[in-house]
Every structure is written in structure tokens, then in C-alpha cells.
């Protein structure tokens, strides 16, 4: 039996695969020509394939295979599917964050992509991570294109028979009001079913024997006759031990419509409330776990049964949802179930670092969108015997025009990147460009606009500026005391001794004077004041003559100003006026 993605059932532990060496597409990029993505390891930089989180439900299995085919054969990345299956979105988020446990004290390599992530109206754990560990928080890339939902279903044969004989629409809850209609006559009797296929209502671990849920049912509906107290707590009141009878037919089980619950009685208390609020004559039984019982009972008898979409188990029965009023979050929060299930958002979630290490994959996945029909069709193929890979491959082959549109234009660079040619050199326009690369230190990513649209080029930092980091969109002026005399610099040089840079953004340093100058600073070394020669100085005031070449200055008494003029040979300095200067 399948299951709705977050229903707590036994984990299916698949031992699964690296992405097959076999190509799906005739023109697919072969394994040897694919690229890895950058990876930060404790030991430094490394390379690795794109790692995909795979959830332990069938649609995730198929969609992950499908995504892996596209990322590897169309975009040219090495891809692996994680062998450890994630049981819910929280587990998926931990894999994307590279955390072995929720507190993340133990790290493991980060996974990159989690398709078919079911966010059950509570993306809370993902949001939590955004505040507690923002650098590890996964990034949501939007809807898969479909939503998921749990519901009760009515199969086509029953529905059509009722409609064409009496005009009764059995896909609508109001057609079941026992005071107005006799819907039961279109369904099997409880006595037709074999109780051997069902679990007793008082079996522990099943929702019909969940004290809290049963008590809550009675408190909310006032139907205390619907439950019975036992030493182990309240259980559903099942006169024949197997079926709970709704108030509308409790007096006569032959008037009840069988409702088939599955798993551990998932949502049993909700089916109870619906029956009571809508005056439906129902007898709810929990089919024994395992695909055989569920599929046999639903297939062989006319019942209302639990199911969900997307799933293929009962597609062949032309089953329609039993329509009830639209979901009310407020009522559900108060344990009042007179409305339908919420639709569940199914999303593409990636690691926070994917856009940096594999920007094309990230942009591709942003565009990725499937219809409910697509996923239902894939699931049906698998149900009919195809492997998930084969079903995915068929889809990829037949939907080329759809996914081609998701492929990012190679030369549509992002901020932080720039156009690159086939020799991995930066270029300034699209004519020679084959792709994008992150701008290296010494360059900045500059937006340009051409006939194709906006993109970025990695332009060298102008002289007087520098950029020491990867992927920046601006360069920084050299600090005072430093200079960059050429463009494309990752750092600025310190001014030599005898020179100074009294402003930022300098392309050269001013010279203190023509000859015999240095720059020095009075420092205290071992308790004694000493003049120490320094470089990288930020003002002319550090300028001094080198030893043995005393300073000659002019003093303008009228303006009380003073100007350093030259450093002269000490042998001359005993003469007060060097001729050459005055
Ligand atoms: C990944 O890509 C590289 C570079 O193209 C290739 O040489 C290598 O065989 C691939 N690795 C795997 C595990 O497929
Ligand atoms: C359930 O009920 C049956 C008969 O009503 C009883 O024999 C059985 O012990 C009960 N089981 C549990 C788990 O209470
Ligand atoms: C119970 O309902 C069935 C089907 O409507 C009917 O034939 C039968 O007479 C009813 N039994 C009682 C005791 O009313
Ligand atoms: C069912 O029909 C009866 C009779 O018309 C009506 O009084 C009652 O409100 C209906 N119940 C529901 C839940 O619609
Ligand atoms: C594109 O760049 C190349 C050099 O990178 C240059 O020779 C060519 O003229 C440029 N073309 C346009 C349209 O600017
Ligand atoms: C630029 O500065 C460097 C380092 O001081 C120096 O070696 C080089 O000659 C200078 N280049 C020019 C063109 O001034
Ligand atoms: C820096 O020094 C030069 C040369 O001495 C001078 O012309 C300039 O005004 C100074 N600039 C600043 C900001 O002090
Ligand atoms: C300084 O001048 C004296 C006398 O003219 C000369 O002998 C000496 O070599 C000069 N020193 C230097 C370092 O040029």
C-alpha cells in the first residue's frame, strides 16, 4: 500500500542507485562529460556530484529520477540519489543542511536538491532553520505545479449508477442526508464484507482506540453513544467489534454505507465527525494493513474509501472525491471537522548553497513545473510495472518541448557572475560567450543590457580599487597608505618608504621628495623612543630624510608656515645655505 506522504508508517528502506550510466536521451550528455559541483570540506575545497534527497513515497521516487535525468543528461551535472530515504520534509531539510540530527551537532555532506517536498501546512521547521541557522537553511524554489490532498472517494460505477437512475450526486456530501435520500441502496452492505479483512475497533495502536481522539469526537459532537469507555480509555463504539456506526444508521447496520479507512485508521475521527455532521449513514471500518486488503476491498465492494492524490492506486476505478465544504483552518484548530482537508503544498526545496555552486541547476529547478496529470500518469505507469526510472525517462522523452523551456539561457548570468568563453576566459559580450562563471577576486560583476536581455560581465577593478572576494558586484577603493597602479587587482600595495598616499582610491603614492627621503615614525621600542622607517603611510607628515642627510626646510616667518625642501649631504649641512637651493 502507498501512503499519504507524512502518515507515520513503517519506513520503506530502499537500497537505491547512483544515476544510471544508461542514457535516457539519445542526445543526452554522457557520464564522462558531466561536471561536479564545488564542495566545501573540512579539509578544503573539493568536488562532488549533485546529491538528491529522495523521500520514501512513490511520487518522490519517480520525480527524483526524472529530475536526475534532466540535471545529468540535459544540464550536464554528475548526480547521485541519496540511498537513505527521508521520511518527511524535516528529514529532507536536515539532509539539505548537512545535519545528521536536528541539533546539527554532527555534520555530514550537504545534499543539494529535494523534489516533491510535502509541506503539510507547517513549513515551520524550515522557517525555524532560517532564524536559528540561516547559513544552512534550505531554500524553497516554489511549487512542483500540483498540490496534494487526502479525502474520501466514491468510485465511478456507484456514482454513475446513482446519478443516472435517481439524479443523486454521490460525489457531494449533501446527497447522503439519511432523512432525505437513500444513498445506501447504491452501496454494499456491511454484511457483504468479510470482517477478516478488518481490524477490531479496540485494537491498540489504531485511531479507533485512541482515547484522546475518541473523547474529542464525543465532546465536539455530543455523540457520547458513539464511544465506549474501556480500562484502556475510550474506543469507538462498534457493536460488531469491527464497524463504528454513525448516528444516522446506528439503529440498523443494514442501512449503513461502508466507509473504508486505511493504515492505522488514518483520520478515523474525521470520518466520524463528517458522518455525524452531515447526517450520513456510515459504518467505518479499518482495513488490515497491506496493499492486498485495501485494494481488494475497495475494488470488490461498493464503498466510500480513503485515498489521496497524487496517487495511482485507484485511478482505474474512476474514483472522484467525496466533496465537502472547503477547509476551515480555524475550525480544524478547534477539533471541529465539518470541512475538507487542506490542500498540501508540494514544493521544490534546495540547499541554500545550490545557487552558488550550481547556478544553472538552480535556475532550471525554479522553472520546473509539472501538472497533476503528469504525476498521476507517471504513478500509473509504475503501478503497471515500469521502474521509476523507466517511467521518468518516458516522460522526459515525450515532454521535450516542455522542459526545454526550463533550461536557462547559458549566457544569462546572475549578479556575481560574468560571461565566459569556451576557454574559461571572461568576455565582455555574448558573441563569444558560452556560459557564466563567478567573478574572481580582482573583478566585479557588472550588469550589461543587450538585445537578448540583461546579463553580467566580470570587469576588472579599475586602478585605485580592489576586490579580494569571489562573486562581488563592486570594487573597493584602496585604503589611504595603499595604491593600485593597474586594473584587475585583488589587493592594493602598500606605499614604499619615502612615499605616502594621503587619500583613498590612489593609483600611485606621492613621493616625499626627489632624493634621500624615507618615511618614519617615532616608536617606543624596549622603553626607548626610536625612529622606525615605515611604509604604507597615509600622510606627508611621515616624510623624513634618511640618516646622514639632514633636512633642509624653508620657514616662512610671515605666514608661520614650514615646508620640507630637501635632504642634503650631511657634509654640506655645516654650511648653512646649500647654494643649489637658495
Ligand atoms: C563527474 O564529472 C567528471 C568531470 O566531467 C567526470 O570525469 C567524472 O567521471 C564524473 N564522476 C562521476 C562519479 O560520474
Ligand atoms: C477487544 O474486544 C474483544 C471483544 O469485544 C475482546 O475479546 C478483546 O480482548 C478486546 N481487545 C482489546 C485489545 O481490548
Ligand atoms: C434494517 O434495514 C434494512 C434495509 O433497509 C431493512 O430491510 C430491515 O427491515 C431493517 N431492520 C429493522 C429491524 O428495521
Ligand atoms: C438533513 O435533512 C433534514 C430534513 O430535511 C434536515 O432537517 C437536516 O438539517 C439535514 N441535515 C444536514 C446535515 O443537512
Ligand atoms: C564582443 O567582444 C569581442 C572581444 O571580446 C569584440 O572583439 C567584439 O567587437 C565585441 N562585439 C560587440 C558587438 O561589442
Ligand atoms: C606598479 O607598482 C608596482 C609595485 O609597486 C611596481 O612594481 C610597478 O612597476 C608599477 N607599475 C607601473 C606601471 O607603475
Ligand atoms: C595629498 O597630498 C598632495 C601632495 O602633497 C596634496 O596636493 C593633496 O592636497 C593632499 N590631499 C589631501 C586630501 O590631503
Ligand atoms: C657628501 O659630501 C662629501 C663631501 O663633498 C662627499 O665626500 C661624500 O661622498 C658625500 N656623501 C654621499 C653619500 O654622497
Amino acid at each position: 500500500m502507498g501512503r499519504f506522504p507524512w502518515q507515520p508508517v513503517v519506513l520503506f528502506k530502499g537500497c537505491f542507485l547512483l544515476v544510471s550510466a544508461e542514457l535516457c536521451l539519445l542526445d543526452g550528455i554522457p557520464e564522462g562529460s558531466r561536471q561536479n559541483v564545488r564542495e566545501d570540506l573540512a579539509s578544503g575545497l573539493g568536488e562532488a556530484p549533485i546529491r538528491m534527497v529522495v523521500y520514501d513515497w512513490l511520487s518522490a521516487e519517480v520525480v527524483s529520477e526524472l529530475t536526475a535525468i534532466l540535471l545529468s543528461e540535459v544540464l550536464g551535472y554528475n548526480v547521485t540519489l541519496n540511498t537513505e530515504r527521508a521520511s518527511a520534509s524535516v528529514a529532507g531539510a536536515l539532509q539539505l543542511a548537512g545535519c545528521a540530527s536536528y541539533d546539527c551537532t554532527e555534520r555530514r555532506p550537504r545534499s543539494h536538491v529535494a523534489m516533491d517536498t510535502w509541506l503539510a501546512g507547517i513549513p515551520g521547521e524550515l522557517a525555524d532553520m532560517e532564524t536559528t541557522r540561516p547559513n544552512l537553511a534550505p531554500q524553497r524554489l516554489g511549487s512542483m505545479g500540483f498540490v496534494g490532498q487526502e479525502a474520501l472517494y466514491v468510485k465511478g460505477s456507484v456514482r454513475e449508477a446513482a446519478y443516472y437512475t435517481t439524479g443523486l450526486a454521490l460525489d457531494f456530501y449533501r446527497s447522503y442526508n439519511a432523512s432525505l435520500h437513500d444513498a445506501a441502496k447504491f452501496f454494499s452492505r456491511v454484511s457483504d464484507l468479510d470482517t477478516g479483512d478488518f481490524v477490531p475497533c479496540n485494537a491498540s495502536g489504531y485511531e479507533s482506540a485512541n482515547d484522546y481522539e475518541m473523547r474529542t469526537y464525543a465532546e465536539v459532537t455530543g455523540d457520547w453513544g458513539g464511544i465506549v469507555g474501556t480500562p484502556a480509555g475510550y474506543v469507538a463504539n462498534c457493536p460488531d467489534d469491527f464497524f463504528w456506526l454513525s448516528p444516522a444508521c446506528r439503529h440498523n447496520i443494514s442501512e449503513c454505507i461502508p466507509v473504508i479507512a486505511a493504515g492505522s485508521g488514518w483520520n478515523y475521527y474525521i470520518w466520524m465527525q463528517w458522518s455525524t455532521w452531515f447526517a450520513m449513514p456510515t459504518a467505518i471500518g479499518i482495513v488490515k494493513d497491506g496493499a492486498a486488503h485495501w485494494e481488494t476491498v475497495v475494488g470488490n465492494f461498493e464503498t466510500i474509501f480513503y485515498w489521496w492524490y497524487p496517487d495511482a492506486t485507484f485511478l482505474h476505478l474512476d474514483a472522484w472525491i467525496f466533496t465537502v465544504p472547503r477547509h476551515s483552518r480555524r475550525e480544524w484548530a478547534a477539533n471541529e471537522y465539518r470541512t475538507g482537508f487542506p490542500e498540501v503544498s508540494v514544493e521544490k526545496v534546495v540547499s541554500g548553497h545550490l545557487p552558488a555552486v550550481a547556478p544553472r541547476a538552480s535556475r532550471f529547478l525554479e522553472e520546473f513545473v509539472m501538472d497533476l496529470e503528469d504525476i498521476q500518469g507517471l504513478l500509473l505507469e509504475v503501478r503497471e510495472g515500469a521502474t521509476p526510472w523507466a517511467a521518468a525517462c518516458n516522460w522526459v522523452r515525450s515532454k521535450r518541448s516542455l522542459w526545454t523551456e526550463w533550461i536557462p539561457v547559458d549566457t544569462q548570468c546572475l549578479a556575481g557572475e560574468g560571461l565566459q568563453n569556451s576557454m574559461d576566459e571572461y568576455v565582455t559580450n555574448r558573441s563569444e560567450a558560452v556560459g557564466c562563471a563567478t567573478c574572481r577576486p580582482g573583478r566585479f560583476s557588472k550588469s550589461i543590457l543587450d538585445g537578448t536581455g540583461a546579463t553580467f560581465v566580470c570587469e576588472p577593478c579599475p586602478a585605485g580599487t580592489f576586490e579580494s572576494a569571489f562573486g562581488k558586484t563592486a570594487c573597493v577603493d584602496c585604503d589611504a597608505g595603499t595604491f593600485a597602479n593597474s586594473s584587475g587587482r585583488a589587493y592594493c600595495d602598500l606605499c614604499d618608504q619615502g612615499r605616502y598616499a594621503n587619500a583613498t582610491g590612489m593609483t600611485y603614492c606621492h613621493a616625499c621628495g626627489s632624493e634621500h627621503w624615507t618615511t618614519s615614525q617615532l616608536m617606543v621600542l624596549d622603553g626607548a623612543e626610536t625612529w622606525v622607517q615605515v611604509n604604507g603611510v597615509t600622510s606627508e607628515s611621515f616624510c623624513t630624510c634618511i640618516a646622514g642627510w639632514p633636512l633642509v626646510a624653508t620657514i616662512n616667518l610671515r605666514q608661520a608656515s614650514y615646508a620640507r625642501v630637501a635632504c642634503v649631504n650631511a657634509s654640506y649641512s655645516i654650511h648653512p645655505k646649500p647654494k643649489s637651493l637658495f
Side-chain angles (χ1 to χ4, degrees), residues 56-359:
D56 65 350
W57 48 86
L58 187 59
S59 56
E61 201 86 56
V62 181
V63 170
S64 301
E65 290 283 5
L66 189 153
T67 308
I69 291 173
L70 292 170
L71 291 182
S72 59
E73 296 192 24
V74 177
L75 296 192
Y77 290 101
N78 285 327
V79 180
T80 58
L81 301 184
N82 290 351
T83 48
E84 182 196 335
R85 292 294 183 257
S87 58
S89 60
V90 178
L94 290 181
Q95 290 189 14
L96 293 174
C99 300
S101 58
Y102 194 66
D103 61 8
C104 209
T105 45
E106 201 185 321
R107 301 299 313 272
R108 59 179 176 182
R110 292 177 79 169
S111 297
H112 301 89
V113 178
M115 301 299 275
D116 207 45
T117 300
W118 291 61
L119 298 171
I122 38 150
E125 283 81 3
L126 301 190
D128 266 6
M129 219 180 249
E130 265 156 37
T131 48
T132 55
R133 286 185 292 271
N135 56 330
L136 297 180
Q139 189 177 338
R140 292 161 67 180
L141 291 188
S143 169
M144 290 286 297
F146 54 85
V147 294
Q149 198 175 28
E150 293 176 277
L152 289 180
Y153 281 76
V154 185
K155 60 181 168 181
S157 54
V158 187
R159 191 184 65 230
E160 299 305 293
Y163 188 68
Y164 288 112
T165 56
T166 64
L168 206 54
L170 292 185
D171 49 318
F172 187 53
Y173 75 104
R174 291 193 124 180
S175 303
Y176 289 82
N177 185 333
S179 320
L180 295 170
H181 304 289
D182 182 14
K185 72 175 176 210
F186 298 102
F187 290 92
S188 302
R189 294 274 161 87
V190 174
S191 53
D192 299 336
L193 304 175
D194 178 0
T195 52
D197 286 325
F198 291 84
V199 179
C201 298
N202 65 355
S204 64
Y206 286 83
E207 299 200 13
S208 51
N210 180 310
D211 175 65
Y212 169 77
E213 288 172 3
M214 293 304 111
R215 196 155 28 85
T216 304
Y217 162 79
E219 281 166 4
V220 171
T221 61
D223 177 24
W224 289 91
I227 61 174
V228 288
T230 71
Y234 283 112
V235 302
N237 179 9
C238 301
D240 70 346
D241 290 341
F242 292 94
F243 286 89
W244 176 84
L245 308 184
S246 72
C249 65
R250 199 169 286 157
H251 56 281
N252 184 348
I253 193 170
S254 305
E255 291 174 11
C256 295
I257 300 169
V259 172
I260 311 301
S264 59
W266 300 324
N267 314 312
Y268 196 90
Y269 55 101
I270 295 174
W271 316 142
M272 287 167 72
Q273 282 207 27
W274 283 6
S275 302
T276 302
W277 297 126
F278 305 150
M280 294 170 66
T282 60
I284 307 175
I286 303 172
V287 77
K288 276 185 180 161
D289 212 354
H293 296 284
W294 192 34
E295 293 188 37
T296 314
V297 171
V298 170
N300 293 349
F301 299 94
E302 317 298 10
T303 63
I304 297 176
F305 57 94
Y306 168 74
W307 193 31
W308 65 85
Y309 66 81
D311 185 54
T313 312
F314 298 120
L315 281 183
H316 61 289
L317 297 178
D318 185 27
W320 285 8
I321 281 188
F322 167 81
T323 309
V324 300
R326 198 152 57 101
H327 177 69
S328 162
R329 191 153 50 117
R330 192 175 300 186
E331 286 185 11
W332 278 50
N335 293 320
E336 254 181 65
Y337 305 102
R338 304 165 192 268
T339 60
F341 280 79
E343 284 185 337
V344 178
S345 174
V346 187
E347 299 193 7
K348 303 160 290 189
V349 181
V350 300
S351 63
H353 72 327
L354 186 76
V357 299

Side-chain angles (χ1 to χ4, degrees), residues 18 31-36 47 49 76-80:
L18 295 180
E31 200 179 354
S33 319
R34 295 178 198 157
Q35 64 179 130
N36 282 322
E47 277 198 348
Y77 290 101
N78 285 327
V79 180
T80 58

